[in-house]
Amino acid sequence: MISRYTYGSCIETGAVPEKPEIEAGALPFFVVDEEQMTLTYRMAEHDRVYGLGENLRGINKRGWIYESKCTDDPNHMEEKRSLYAAHNFFVVDGSETFGVFVDYPGIVSFDIGYTKMEELKIQASDWNLDVYVITGMDVKDIVKQFRKMIGRSYIPPLWAFGYGQSRWGYRSEDDVREVVKAYRDLQIPLDSVYLDIDYMERYKDFTLNQETFPDFPDFVEEMKKENIHLVPIIDAGVKEEKGYPVYEEGIEKGYFCKKEDGTPFVAAVWPGRALFPDMLNTEARNWFGDQYRFLLDQGIEGFWNDMNEPSIFYTEDSLKAVMEKIDTYKGKNLDLDSFSEFQGLVGGLSNNPEDYKAFYHDMDGVRVRHDRVHNLFGYNMTKAAGEAFERLEPDKRILMFSRSSYIGMHRYGGIWQGDNKSWWSHLLLNIKMMPSLNMCGFLYTGADLGGFGADTTEELLMRWLEFGIFTPLMRNHSAAGTREQEVYRFGNTAGFRHVIGLRYRLIPYLYSEYMKAALRGEMMFRPLAFDYPDDKYAAQVEDQLLLGNELMLAPVYEQNARGRYVYLPETMKMVRFKEDGTMETEIRPAGHQYIDVELTDVVFFMRPDTLIPLAKPAQCTQDIDFEHLELLKFVQNEMASYEYYHDDGYSKDYENPEHLSLLFSTTEE
Ligand code: GLC
């Protein structure tokens, strides 16, 4: 059951397409303090708290304070409180079990046992919120009700389930050709290459560098013949430049965000001075969406939206003020205090909270200061694209994922998990984030495999891919200036071929699981506790996940580890794919146990009476033979079965019942 409570006058976020009626009674579970703008719940000792989508720390969120404040911060460390997204949905599971969604587009904090161990306190920066309280049979049921309320998750084309290679630094057609050739020559499967900001002319959206990408439509075509999709990046900031049509038209029509005095707000991002299209204004949003046509017309079928928190390096006004202040330091003896102040001047320029108060949106006639709706910007940039794709390419599925997001954006695109680092701890963070993102409707997601910032190692990349082959978005991406991270830069080609190859064998299963999760509002990845609610050990597990109803994953995420402890909540069949092409299976009893996992072994566990369809090896999604599937089986009782979803991966008749079939087997043969 879902109940809605309203405080103040809410700004429409669009997260909930059809809102339930407002409840007259008092908000259950919480103590409401209108003056402090807080909602407080007293947690019982063993209550667990799940959710908050893209955020730091554990699967069980208890023990820290989190903030919904979309931020471009590349240092995803334990001490941080927020990442790029605002996903205000969580479930308390324990003496009482209920879900809460705080639909509020400004900054909100979730103190879950940080200030006081037993207290969960939600605080909004403005008393204008819609609060939904959801009760149900169990956590899965609560999540399902929530997902139904926020609408169906985005569905990408089948090729987007293939492996993608990316790097900030592919500067020309030849750079891309070299990547594709290396993969094809070594017979390591690949479906896409991502184009980072280097493809644009001086970092201008919807332009191409004519010197380095001179025949773009031909090049796109050439790549398609190789079964490679090119996926260009689009940034939120539009370069200020006379004669650049996107800028000129945006200015002429008044589509950019404005300062209080009505003049355009100028902030700097990659191209230097730039303007933000008013994504919260319907007309401006439609206009921005229409710009994607420039690349769609040249054969592009996928994009990633970036810097849309929005990220601000500095604003014209703040830079001027800092420059003037710096002048006053000339000739001064800088002591501890004045030197820190001096350092802070420049350091404080980027993503400065004051700058987010300095511009306004025209929400279809209502002027709203940006900070009040900050968390809706990236969402609406992606909505701009998603709605435009429906208008411009109604019969096609276009790949779209974004960096920043709010709940509701999951209907228009997926997300990647932002600028992580090549750290083992970030592989673990990637694992932990999958279920919380699924809870909030974000199914098409994954992290930069191998790590974006800092230098990776062959071992870290191998282990990360061994997990990444299960995430819907499977992309190896790295930052300019870091060690080159394409798998062929490392020694063990056979190992990488084997791991990535297995992804392609699993695609019939992964795609089927994705589609069922999207169409039914279910989670593809779940913590063990969701399926084994009465198992006190399962509740503690933070580094294993359930995938679909069939698999349990127990990834290796530590340097030099050649195995790990795993908890089995019931008897399972351990399946091990080895680099030499062999597969070993072993029935393992319930309980805690140590399993060996050699560096290139891919190990997973099958739950009793399940089947997994497996395809023959393929070099790209186009070549996957969906007609001749092998079945991995674990028949413990009389019969194992699998509900298999299969369509052409491109059409949009998702709900057609013909896409579903039942596979079953009574023997393991
Ligand atoms: C941002 C993105 C990253 C990209 C870079 C350059 O940091 O998060 O993925 O490579 O910008 O465009």
Side-chain angles (χ1 to χ4, degrees):
M1 194 181 88
I2 306 189
S3 315
R4 172 177 163 224
Y5 303 84
T6 288
Y7 303 97
S9 55
C10 301
I11 288 175
E12 183 51 59
T13 65
V16 180
E18 278 167 49
K19 297 185 180 186
E21 288 299 311
I22 298 169
E23 294 284 334
L27 182 75
F29 306 115
F30 290 88
V31 174
V32 179
D33 183 336
E34 302 220 5
E35 231 161 75
Q36 299 293 318
M37 301 195 281
T38 57
L39 309 173
T40 308
Y41 176 68
R42 203 185 153 81
M43 296 183 284
E45 199 186 338
H46 296 293
D47 283 359
R48 294 178 300 276
V49 181
Y50 300 105
L52 297 183
E54 183 187 85
N55 220 312
L56 298 130
R57 300 217 173 197
I59 288 180
N60 180 355
K61 289 274 169 274
R62 193 166 173 167
W64 188 239
I65 179 166
Y66 308 87
E67 234 170 24
S68 278
K69 178 175 151 205
C70 300
T71 314
D72 174 13
D73 180 344
N75 296 307
H76 307 172
M77 291 178 318
E78 240 177 86
E79 70 204 47
K80 298 295 168 70
R81 296 176 177 192
S82 58
L83 294 171
Y84 310 84
H87 298 158
N88 304 346
F89 172 62
F90 64 87
V91 176
V92 175
D93 185 23
S95 62
E96 301 275 4
T97 298
F98 58 94
V100 177
F101 172 46
V102 181
D103 192 9
Y104 170 70
I107 293 158
V108 48
S109 68
F110 298 88
D111 179 341
I112 311 181
Y114 167 76
T115 306
K116 286 191 192 155
M117 269 187 93
E118 67 290 350
E119 216 171 72
L120 189 166
K121 195 182 281 259
I122 304 170
Q123 185 161 39
S125 46
D126 214 355
W127 196 239
N128 288 311
L129 23 143
D130 254 352
V131 181
Y132 298 81
V133 175
I134 311 170
T135 49
M137 270 155 14
D138 54 21
V139 185
K140 284 202 285 190
D141 176 48
I142 289 167
V143 172
K144 198 166 172 164
Q145 291 184 56
F146 174 64
R147 293 273 303 281
K148 183 160 189 274
M149 178 175 83
I150 59 173
R152 198 191 68 212
S153 299
Y154 163 77
I155 295 176
L158 178 68
W159 63 264
F161 288 82
Y163 172 58
Q165 181 63 61
S166 185
R167 180 168 174 86
W168 177 4
Y170 297 151
R171 298 190 171 278
S172 64
E173 292 183 356
D174 280 344
D175 281 359
V176 176
R177 284 191 186 100
E178 198 183 304
V179 172
V180 174
K181 186 170 181 319
Y183 274 97
R184 292 286 182 251
D185 284 356
L186 295 170
Q187 302 213 310
I188 302 172
L190 187 71
D191 261 84
S192 50
V193 176
Y194 288 76
L195 300 179
D196 208 317
I197 47 175
D198 317 282
Y199 80 90
M200 299 178 194
E201 181 195 303
R202 278 172 291 130
Y203 311 127
K204 287 186 292 189
D205 276 340
F206 312 111
T207 67
L208 287 157
N209 184 326
Q210 293 298 335
E211 276 166 35
T212 49
F213 290 87
D215 307 302
F216 198 63
D218 291 350
F219 181 56
V220 174
E221 201 41 45
E222 175 192 326
M223 287 295 120
K224 275 193 193 160
K225 286 200 180 115
E226 295 263 7
N227 289 313
I228 296 292
H229 285 83
L230 297 177
V231 187
I233 194 169
I234 302 294
D235 284 316
V238 168
K239 185 173 197 236
E240 181 194 75
E241 186 181 281
K242 286 247 163 315
Y244 163 41
V246 186
Y247 165 73
E248 295 281 4
E249 198 184 336
I251 287 287
E252 189 199 313
K253 304 234 167 94
Y255 287 155
F256 295 118
C257 292
K258 298 184 184 67
K259 295 199 284 196
E260 196 171 10
D261 64 7
T263 59
F265 173 74
V266 182
V269 214
W270 303 121
R273 293 154 59 103
L275 296 95
F276 296 127
D278 191 350
M279 305 293 182
L280 275 61
N281 175 278
T282 308
E283 221 181 296
R285 187 168 60 240
N286 288 342
W287 166 77
F288 189 78
D290 283 339
Q291 307 303 316
Y292 287 79
R293 180 195 283 272
F294 171 76
L295 289 156
L296 291 170
D297 284 351
Q298 306 196 50
I300 290 297
E301 293 171 330
F303 301 87
W304 44 313
N305 277 350
D306 192 22
M307 305 297 274
N308 50 2
E309 294 70 32
S311 179
I312 296 179
F313 293 173
Y314 60 86
T315 61
E316 207 180 31
D317 295 341
S318 59
L319 185 68
K320 197 164 148 244
V322 165
M323 292 294 199
E324 277 165 13
K325 190 84 203 275
I326 283 178
D327 262 351
T328 67
Y329 284 82
K330 274 190 189 147
K332 253 196 188 170
N333 169 26
L334 298 186
D335 64 5
L336 172 65
D337 299 336
S338 50
F339 185 62
S340 325
E341 202 181 78
F342 175 77
Q343 281 185 313
L345 282 175
V346 179
L349 275 173
S350 295
N351 304 321
N352 189 319
E354 289 309 309
D355 290 336
Y356 294 102
K357 295 182 186 157
F359 64 103
Y360 292 78
H361 296 277
D362 169 3
M363 292 181 74
D364 299 339
V366 184
R367 204 167 85 123
V368 184
R369 202 173 75 185
H370 175 80
D371 59 316
R372 304 235 149 86
V373 287
H374 174 69
N375 292 330
L376 297 182
F377 193 86
Y379 161 18
N380 280 280
M381 177 186 181
T382 297
K383 181 173 172 182
E387 288 180 342
F389 301 154
E390 287 299 325
R391 285 195 302 277
L392 304 171
E393 300 273 13
D395 300 325
K396 249 193 200 170
R397 298 189 204 173
I398 304 289
L399 170 61
M400 163 50 63
F401 59 91
S402 166
R403 193 169 71 179
S404 185
S405 60
Y406 184 84
I407 287 172
M409 201 207 83
H410 69 288
R411 301 192 296 268
Y412 303 96
I415 56 171
W416 89 100
Q417 293 161 19
D419 295 348
N420 61 4
K421 292 231 163 41
S422 298
W423 295 344
W424 289 93
S425 60
H426 281 183
L427 163 52
L428 182 58
L429 188 60
N430 178 194
I431 297 165
K432 288 179 199 250
M433 238 191 274
M434 294 306 288
S436 55
L437 286 171
N438 279 195
M439 286 173 74
C440 298
F442 293 92
L443 296 181
Y444 191 76
T445 183
D448 288 350
L449 303 175
F452 173 74
D455 292 333
T456 201
T457 62
E458 179 169 336
E459 186 188 3
L460 175 58
L461 180 59
M462 190 72 81
R463 290 302 196 192
W464 213 322
L465 286 166
E466 285 166 17
F467 174 65
I469 61 171
F470 297 99
T471 63
L473 167 61
M474 182 193 177
R475 177 177 79 145
N476 173 345
H477 180 50
S478 56
T482 59
R483 180 179 186 180
E484 287 175 312
Q485 197 169 288
E486 297 80 10
V487 297
Y488 52 83
R489 307 278 180 197
F490 302 93
N492 193 355
T493 306
F496 286 114
R497 182 188 298 129
H498 150 72
V499 173
I500 298 170
L502 193 55
R503 160 64 163 220
Y504 282 74
R505 302 198 62 198
L506 285 165
I507 283 179
Y509 172 68
L510 296 171
Y511 180 74
S512 167
E513 284 309 305
Y514 187 94
M515 293 304 290
K516 287 190 293 178
L519 297 173
R520 296 171 183 173
E522 285 171 356
M523 295 168 67
M524 198 170 158
F525 293 91
R526 296 180 306 285
L528 269 50
F530 285 24
D531 284 38
Y532 302 95
D534 302 324
D535 181 330
K536 70 170 185 177
Y537 298 115
Q540 308 276 320
V541 176
E542 287 265 338
D543 59 356
Q544 298 172 211
L545 297 176
L546 297 169
L547 165 50
N549 291 323
E550 291 71 31
L551 295 191
M552 184 180 78
L553 308 178
V556 173
Y557 54 86
E558 280 179 341
Q559 180 173 306
N560 296 316
R562 292 297 178 266
R564 56 163 287 176
Y565 283 93
V566 176
Y567 176 64
L568 272 62
E570 60 184 322
T571 303
M572 291 188 181
K573 183 185 225 178
M574 182 169 80
V575 182
R576 177 191 306 277
F577 287 89
K578 299 201 64 77
E579 190 187 315
D580 65 9
T582 57
M583 186 190 78
E584 295 166 0
T585 60
E586 189 188 332
I587 310 291
R588 287 279 191 153
H592 288 97
Q593 46 203 283
Y594 187 85
I595 54 151
D596 295 314
V597 188
E598 285 305 321
L599 182 56
T600 57
D601 283 0
V602 178
V603 172
F604 55 73
F605 299 82
M606 288 176 76
R607 296 168 75 179
D609 300 321
T610 59
L611 301 174
I612 310 260
L614 260 194
K616 297 205 172 68
Q619 288 293 301
C620 55
T621 48
Q622 172 75 28
D623 289 351
I624 295 176
D625 179 356
F626 285 91
E627 297 305 313
H628 301 96
L629 301 173
E630 197 182 302
L631 290 178
L632 278 181
K633 303 174 182 177
F634 180 25
V635 186
Q636 201 193 30
N637 299 303
E638 264 127 65
M639 188 179 81
S641 62
Y642 180 64
E643 203 183 0
Y644 177 51
Y645 183 101
H646 174 61
D647 64 3
D648 65 6
Y650 298 96
S651 316
K652 290 183 170 175
D653 64 333
Y654 308 123
E655 307 276 357
N656 187 338
E658 283 178 16
H659 299 330
L660 275 173
S661 55
L662 196 68
L663 312 177
F664 58 90
S665 179
T666 49
T667 66
E668 299 229 343
E669 296 317 308

